Amino acid sequence: MRASVSVQAEVTMSFLVSEELSFRIPVDLRYETNDPYAVRLTFHLPGDAPVGWAFGRDLLSGGLIGPCGDGDVHIAPADPEEALGEVLLKLQVGGERALFRAGTAPLLAFLDRTAKLVPPGQERACGTFEKHLDEALCRILAEEQNAG
């Protein structure tokens, strides 16, 4: 079995609390070949424990060029007329929402590095991911049968 390879980066995002209040926070980006469809973001909010989110790499890349996302994650250019400007990232859990603004260029650079590891569309070629997914699904189904 091949070992997982990862790409990491740190970017600074603005956490938009309200129209009048925002502050800059560090955000760690991570991509691993053992989960080739996902990117992970860890937000370091002042005074709180780090908060992690995982969502599709294609959602992040799509959101850099146009509005993207259903459900809890929405990503869109802040100004669709401005190429490589900024992007808005809206995260939601239940009634709680958080809005972040980030420069497009560092996110694009991160995605470019992930594409060098696993080109978009080639995720299925990472055999370890499929194996782990099959094992996890079997485990979940077994737990449901035992509980039911």
Side-chain angles (χ1 to χ4, degrees), residues 45 48 57 62 69 88 97 104 112 117 125:
L45 300 167
D48 284 330
R57 176 174 65 164
L88 294 174
R97 294 182 188 157
T104 302
D112 185 53
L117 284 181

Side-chain angles (χ1 to χ4, degrees), residues 70-134:
D70 288 324
D72 296 339
V73 179
H74 295 265
I75 304 171
D79 181 358
E81 302 296 318
E82 185 181 336
L84 291 181
E86 293 183 313
V87 65
L88 294 174
L89 172 66
K90 185 188 334 178
L91 306 174
Q92 182 172 334
V93 176
E96 299 292 320
R97 294 182 188 157
L99 183 61
F100 300 90
R101 181 186 298 261
T104 302
L107 298 175
L108 196 55
F110 171 74
L111 288 169
D112 185 53
R113 291 175 56 210
T114 71
K116 289 179 174 138
L117 284 181
V118 179
Q122 300 298 312
E123 293 89 354
R124 286 182 81 57
C126 293
T128 58
F129 175 75
E130 295 295 328
K131 180 178 183 267
H132 291 298
L133 181 61
D134 288 343

